[in-house]
Amino acid sequence: MPAHVTQEKGRYTLDATTRLQYSGQASASAADEFARLLARSHAISLQPTPSSIPTSGAGIEFVLDPTAKLGPEDYRLTVGPLRIEVVAAQAPGLFYGAITLWQLLPPGRDDHIAIPAVHIEDTPRFPWRGLMLDSARHFQSPEQVKQLLDAMAVHKLNVFHWHLTDDQGWRIQILRYPNLTQVGGCREKVDMPGAGSQECGFYTQAQIREIVAYAAARQITVVPEIDVPGHATAAIAAYPQLGTTGQRLPVSNERGIHANLFNVDEGTFEFLDQVLAEVAELFPGDYIHIGGDEAIKDQWRASTRVQQRRHELGLADEAQLQAWFITRLEAMLVKRGKRLIGWDEILEGALPASATVMSWRGTDGGIAAARAGHDVVMSPSPDLYLDYLQTDTPGEPAGRPKTVPLRTVYAFDPVPAELTSEQRQHVLGLQANLWTGDIADLAGLEHAAFPRLAAVAETGWTPQADKDYDTFLARLPTQLRRYRELGIGYASTPFSVVLTAAATGEGRARITLSNPLGYPIHYNINGGPPDTSSPAYRAPLDLALPVTITAAAFADGKVLAAPMSRLIDATTLLRHEDEQLEQCAEDGPVLRMANPRSPEAGGLFNVAILAPCWRWSDAPLDGIGTIRVRAARLPYRFRLGSEEERRRRFLPATTAQGELDIRIDGCDGPRLATAAMPAHVDAEGLATVLAPVRLPARGAHTLCIRFSGDTRPQMWVLDQISLQPTDPE
Ligand code: ACM
């Protein structure tokens, strides 16, 4: 939503004969971008032509006027009956004017596009409107990175933060240190332990230059991240002398927080200085990101060499040592004309005044940094962490199963109320982060990013007073149409229908339908796909079984996503998928894990990784004789430093593969059912066991479902549980 919009009378009709002009060479890219988008969305191809002076004739004209009293990203856009004019003082503003003009186009591949007359004066709220991509945990091809940059451009985002190094991979070619990518760019494939099968990937310097130029043509600055002193495993695997323990390390293929830190020898700083020299030369932007996050200090504490150095330097503790480490890097950047930015842990210890802080552990770090006079980018977990799931529907792909719905992303305001107006000036803007621990491909990235990135974009651009979630939702279907026109994949789960069913006795069930975003639902019973003439869903339905429900969400008379269809009968009412169960673990991360043996089969599992345990509240046990459980055997690949060994829990096993263990009335309650798990799983890595009910349980009880046995190196995870009547008549 632009800052100022005035709707006028009349319309401009665009067709294949429309003149598309630009004045000033720097305005060519804006006209080109408009022509490119128009060709893509409406199959009309206009050839931009230069004009030496601004004209006032008919047609579309992009005018770069350095004397216009406009900020670098501002533009003015006027659509009249005969002429469309986009004016800006600088190239970024003109580019954004081109995007807005394209956004004004109504749908269709008509020969004549009628654009309602309008006057827009626009300026972004923040100068930093960012997206971070993690290319370390999973690697994206240069083409895929460019596709994301294209999508960023149509959201008027202007900072691409590129997370290029981590425990799981070093992705940027450094000529002076070839092992960084030759060794650090490869890791053992997770699904093939011991098979010697590797997955590799890195960006050559030529590819990086091309991507940087591609971004620049879209008014996007690339901020590279070299993460230190933690997240260093891949670098240490390539050059063991950089590490703290002296151990040889493989590049990690595990999740979580690793203990491996760079050491603090002079040779390591020489290495980092040379790396940053090449990085500074590749990326023309002001900022280089040096990470600084999650560097747990166990290895530094345990190392006599590191401790000796710390004493020599007169530093009180490891936090001060990290601050000293970061300050050394700052000097390396400043001498190359660059500015340092890092995650908010860089505040733990004295930080050079010129350093910028990226607040990710909520906004507290950002608030503290702004109060201390540092510039700040707000990038808080979980609100702007797009790897968190966006709905709690079963169709959601792998991700961190805390739900960060569109509403949460939209509601985030980067400027905390507790800052003074002077401190607020330090808030440069906001950034969404796409971590890829769970996201293996472009489709997964697009699902995580869209449409939530549209909410980020609106917060980054629109005046706070004009932001309104309800009108955003009303405009969203138009944005989805633009995504389809441009071939941008987006999540369908927020637009789908979720069904829950509960038995109400006498062969009936209460059926509840919902859409995660609250769009209206139409449904059919025992019929075909619904349309807007089908019954509108208003309240839970009380229906006789069996019944098949089809339902979809609608906006402006059009279906938003593929309809859902579900059969509800006595059997399905007694069956729960892991997504329908709660996690019993009080604390500790829950992962939504893909089955590495059959990612295509779509097997996904919600697992409290440190102590896997599932809870079914109100399981109806009357007449149940057997419990059938389907489970998957998944590799355990997770680190949390020394925490992880301390907090990892499992029941001791009494048989070779462990047992299914189901208790009632709490995990310490009586055992309802148990069965030995088998030695073999099927081709999809799944096994099914039948456990006879051993207690005369009646009525509804809470089930605690676990599997005994060490969770390393492999663990059982629940996929589905069914209660089977003694007499299934
Ligand atoms: C982070 O999420 N470790 C910055």
Side-chain angles (χ1 to χ4, degrees):
M1 177 57 77
H4 302 282
V5 182
T6 318
Q7 293 186 356
E8 315 267 0
K9 288 208 167 19
R11 55 198 55 217
Y12 180 92
T13 303
L14 187 158
D15 62 24
T17 68
T18 294
R19 248 182 5 155
L20 175 58
Q21 289 195 296
Y22 59 91
S23 59
Q25 192 49 44
S27 55
S29 75
D32 287 344
E33 179 72 359
F34 176 72
R36 190 182 73 78
L37 291 170
L38 175 70
R40 187 94 203 236
S41 61
H42 290 74
I44 290 181
S45 121
L46 300 183
Q47 189 59 46
T49 55
S51 62
S52 50
I53 46 155
T55 67
S56 53
I60 301 173
E61 188 156 343
F62 286 89
V63 180
L64 199 64
D65 175 7
T67 68
K69 290 212 167 19
L70 295 170
E73 297 189 302
D74 302 356
Y75 65 91
R76 284 200 301 260
L77 166 58
T78 308
V79 177
L82 293 176
R83 177 175 166 77
I84 294 177
E85 189 178 84
V86 186
V87 179
Q90 296 188 31
L94 209 60
F95 185 84
Y96 297 133
I99 302 288
T100 297
L101 178 56
W102 173 74
Q103 288 175 299
L104 291 174
L105 304 180
R109 288 179 178 250
D110 251 346
D111 296 349
H112 293 74
I113 306 172
I115 311 170
V118 71
H119 182 71
I120 291 174
E121 310 238 339
D122 207 6
T123 181
R125 182 174 171 211
F126 296 108
W128 188 300
R129 305 178 303 280
L131 175 67
M132 188 214 76
L133 175 66
D134 171 7
S135 294
R137 273 52 173 267
H138 279 101
F139 179 77
Q140 305 82 25
S141 70
E143 272 321 301
Q144 292 172 332
V145 174
K146 287 181 188 172
Q147 276 179 259
L148 273 178
L149 290 167
D150 281 336
M152 281 180 70
V154 292
H155 289 83
K156 305 189 179 98
L157 299 177
N158 65 350
V159 179
F160 176 58
H161 169 176
W162 204 1
H163 185 80
L164 286 164
T165 73
D166 216 302
D167 299 301
Q168 296 83 359
W170 183 286
R171 305 297 181 201
I172 170 174
Q173 180 185 34
I174 301 295
L175 301 176
R176 174 106 174 220
Y177 298 104
N179 285 359
L180 284 173
T181 42
Q182 294 305 329
V183 176
C186 293
R187 63 174 179 241
E188 187 184 37
K189 279 183 90 139
V190 169
D191 53 342
M192 305 270 182
S197 169
Q198 296 230 306
E199 51 190 327
C200 303
F202 70 92
Y203 305 99
T204 66
Q205 294 203 348
Q207 287 169 330
I208 287 172
R209 281 182 219 281
E210 197 180 310
I211 286 168
V212 166
Y214 194 88
R218 287 152 186 76
Q219 307 303 335
I220 296 166
T221 303
V222 186
V223 175
E225 180 182 349
I226 305 295
D227 205 345
V228 302
H231 292 280
T233 307
I236 296 168
Y239 294 100
Q241 65 271 30
L242 299 170
T244 300
T245 64
Q247 266 185 313
R248 287 199 80 93
L249 301 171
V251 177
S252 175
N253 58 11
E254 298 194 84
R255 303 283 307 261
I257 304 174
H258 293 53
N260 305 313
L261 298 192
F262 283 107
N263 64 39
V264 293
D265 295 348
E266 276 315 296
T268 297
F269 290 103
E270 201 170 298
F271 163 85
L272 290 170
D273 189 53
Q274 292 304 320
V275 168
L276 290 176
E278 293 191 31
V279 172
E281 205 256 317
L282 284 169
F283 295 90
D286 290 340
Y287 282 101
I288 292 178
H289 201 300
I290 52 72
D293 58 321
E294 298 180 319
I296 42 178
K297 304 296 189 300
D298 297 1
Q299 290 189 352
W300 278 2
R301 270 192 283 275
S303 160
T304 38
R305 220 168 73 219
V306 170
Q307 289 303 321
Q308 192 183 341
R309 191 83 204 271
R310 181 172 70 72
H311 283 295
E312 282 164 20
L313 294 163
L315 299 171
D317 56 21
E318 288 71 32
Q320 286 206 11
L321 189 60
Q322 167 148 336
W324 171 82
F325 195 111
I326 300 297
T327 304
R328 298 256 339 232
L329 263 67
E330 215 254 348
M332 295 173 194
L333 296 180
V334 167
K335 78 179 180 203
R336 300 186 167 98
K338 300 290 183 186
R339 292 187 65 180
L340 179 145
I341 184 166
W343 301 110
D344 56 56
E345 285 94 330
I346 64 174
L347 278 169
E348 295 165 3
L351 182 65
S354 67
T356 299
V357 172
M358 191 168 266
S359 190
W360 76 275
R361 295 176 301 178
T363 53
D364 291 353
I367 293 168
R371 286 186 173 144
H374 296 287
D375 283 349
V376 169
V377 175
M378 290 296 193
S379 187
S381 165
D383 299 40
L384 299 185
Y385 269 44
L386 301 183
D387 57 327
Y388 282 98
L389 305 178
Q390 53 196 309
T391 69
D392 53 10
T393 65
E396 207 58 58
R400 293 196 238 182
K402 184 199 279 286
T403 309
V404 178
L406 188 63
R407 180 190 284 278
T408 301
V409 177
Y410 192 83
F412 174 71
D413 188 53
V415 182
E418 48 268 69
L419 294 183
T420 66
S421 60
E422 195 181 326
Q423 290 160 353
R424 289 171 184 211
Q425 301 307 311
H426 285 297
V427 179
L428 301 180
L430 79 169
Q431 179 175 292
N433 294 335
L434 273 174
W435 298 104
T436 59
D438 292 301
I439 301 177
D441 56 20
L442 183 69
L445 283 171
E446 291 182 320
H447 176 99
F450 309 111
R452 288 185 294 187
L453 201 60
V456 174
E458 186 145 300
T459 303
W461 193 281
T462 305
Q464 172 67 357
D466 293 343
K467 275 189 68 193
D468 180 71
Y469 182 64
D470 290 334
T471 63
F472 177 77
L473 279 190
R475 287 178 280 124
L476 190 56
T478 302
Q479 179 72 355
L480 301 185
R481 181 210 359 118
R482 296 187 192 114
Y483 289 157
R484 292 191 296 272
E485 287 170 353
L486 296 182
I488 295 172
Y490 61 87
S492 61
T493 45
F495 306 100
S496 63
V497 171
V498 184
L499 179 151
T500 58
T504 50
E506 291 166 15
R508 299 183 73 81
R510 183 182 162 88
I511 311 283
T512 307
L513 303 179
S514 60
N515 168 255
L517 297 178
Y519 286 103
I521 295 169
H522 292 271
Y523 68 95
N524 280 326
I525 294 169
N526 301 327
D531 55 33
T532 47
S533 66
S534 309
Y537 176 82
R538 298 186 205 285
L541 309 166
D542 181 37
L543 298 171
L545 304 182
V547 65
T548 297
I549 316 261
T550 47
F554 291 81
D556 306 324
K558 295 203 184 73
V559 68
L560 284 167
M564 60 81 63
S565 178
R566 276 268 294 281
L567 164 71
I568 311 296
D569 62 16
T571 306
T572 60
L573 282 175
L574 292 172
R575 185 164 75 209
H576 271 18
E577 309 291 327
D578 57 304
E579 289 90 352
Q580 293 168 276
L581 303 172
E582 296 158 63
Q583 303 287 329
C584 345
E586 306 272 294
D587 76 331
V590 177
L591 304 184
R592 182 156 170 77
M593 299 171 70
N595 184 348
R597 277 186 235 237
S598 60
E600 288 78 28
L604 286 162
F605 313 93
N606 291 353
V607 189
I609 183 87
L610 294 178
C613 176
W614 295 262
R615 182 166 57 215
W616 181 347
S617 306
D618 290 331
L621 295 183
D622 277 339
I624 300 304
T626 311
I627 301 182
R628 179 177 181 273
V629 164
R630 193 167 73 201
R633 197 92 167 117
L634 296 192
Y636 178 101
R637 298 189 175 273
F638 188 75
R639 301 257 168 209
L640 209 57
S642 54
E643 287 262 296
E644 190 259 324
E645 269 311 306
R646 217 171 46 243
R647 287 165 58 190
R648 197 163 63 90
R649 303 247 183 289
F650 53 86
L651 298 169
T654 52
T655 52
Q657 310 299 327
E659 304 87 46
L660 166 69
D661 182 292
I662 303 179
R663 313 278 176 124
I664 55 170
D665 307 329
C667 294
D668 296 324
R671 184 179 281 134
L672 179 72
T674 182
M677 297 303 291
H680 297 289
V681 291
D682 67 16
E684 294 190 346
L686 295 164
T688 299
V689 291
L690 293 170
V693 168
R694 308 200 306 193
L695 291 176
R698 303 199 57 81
H701 286 266
T702 298
L703 307 187
C704 169
I705 307 147
R706 287 175 293 182
F707 300 92
S708 63
D710 195 336
T711 49
R712 276 189 191 276
Q714 289 192 93
M715 62 185 164
W716 290 107
V717 299
L718 186 74
D719 184 36
Q720 188 188 76
I721 175 168
S722 308
L723 308 179
Q724 300 189 332
T726 309
D727 176 7
E729 164 258 344

